[in-house]
Amino acid sequence: MSEQENMELIIFNIINYGGTAKSLSYEALAAAEKGDYDEADRLLKEADQNLIESHKVQTSLISKEAAGEKTEVSLLMVHAQDHLMTAIEAKSLIECMISMHKKMDALK
C-alpha cells in the first residue's frame, strides 16, 4: 500500500467513526423522543466509542507530526476534521436535548 493510500485509509477511518457517532447520536435523540431513555443512553455510549476510535486515529496523526513527520493537508483531510468536529458538537447538543426531554417527562 502506498503512503497516499495509507493516508486515505486513515482519513476515511476518521470520517467513518465520526459519521457513525453522529448517526448514533441522532438515533439516541429519536429514542428519547419516544421516551426510551435506556436505548438513548445505550446509543450515546456507542457514539462515544466511535468518537474515541476517531480520536485515536487523529491523535496518531498529531503525534507523528509532532515527531517531525509532516502530514499533507488535503481537502479530504479537512473534510475528515470537519466531520469529526460536527459529530462531537452534534452529540453534545443532543445530550442536552435528551436531558431536557427527561426533565419535561418528569414534569408530566
Side-chain angles (χ1 to χ4, degrees):
M1 180 180 298
S2 73
E3 189 174 326
Q4 174 150 352
E5 289 171 328
N6 188 47
M7 182 56 67
E8 287 174 358
L9 180 60
I10 290 168
I11 291 168
F12 281 119
N13 277 326
I14 293 171
I15 292 168
N16 181 48
Y17 287 125
T20 300
K22 189 190 305 186
S23 293
L24 289 165
S25 297
Y26 279 104
E27 287 179 38
L29 179 58
E33 288 172 343
K34 295 175 186 170
D36 191 350
Y37 297 112
D38 289 338
E39 178 67 0
D41 289 341
R42 185 192 70 74
L43 289 162
L44 287 174
K45 286 178 185 168
E46 194 175 339
D48 276 335
Q49 288 305 116
N50 277 274
L51 289 175
I52 288 167
E53 291 303 317
S54 189
H55 273 289
K56 285 181 186 176
V57 175
Q58 183 186 48
T59 300
S60 73
L61 289 174
I62 293 169
S63 296
K64 286 179 183 177
E65 189 159 321
E69 287 183 46
K70 293 296 179 192
T71 302
E72 180 185 335
V73 179
S74 65
L75 184 56
L76 193 56
M77 174 64 84
V78 172
H79 175 66
Q81 295 303 313
D82 183 52
H83 212 61
L84 177 56
M85 288 173 28
T86 59
I88 292 167
E89 187 58 29
K91 182 181 171 287
S92 178
L93 289 171
I94 287 168
E95 286 173 328
C96 291
M97 293 170 74
I98 290 172
S99 177
M100 289 182 348
H101 276 284
K102 288 178 180 178
K103 289 176 185 174
M104 289 175 11
D105 281 351
L107 294 174
K108 290 180 182 177

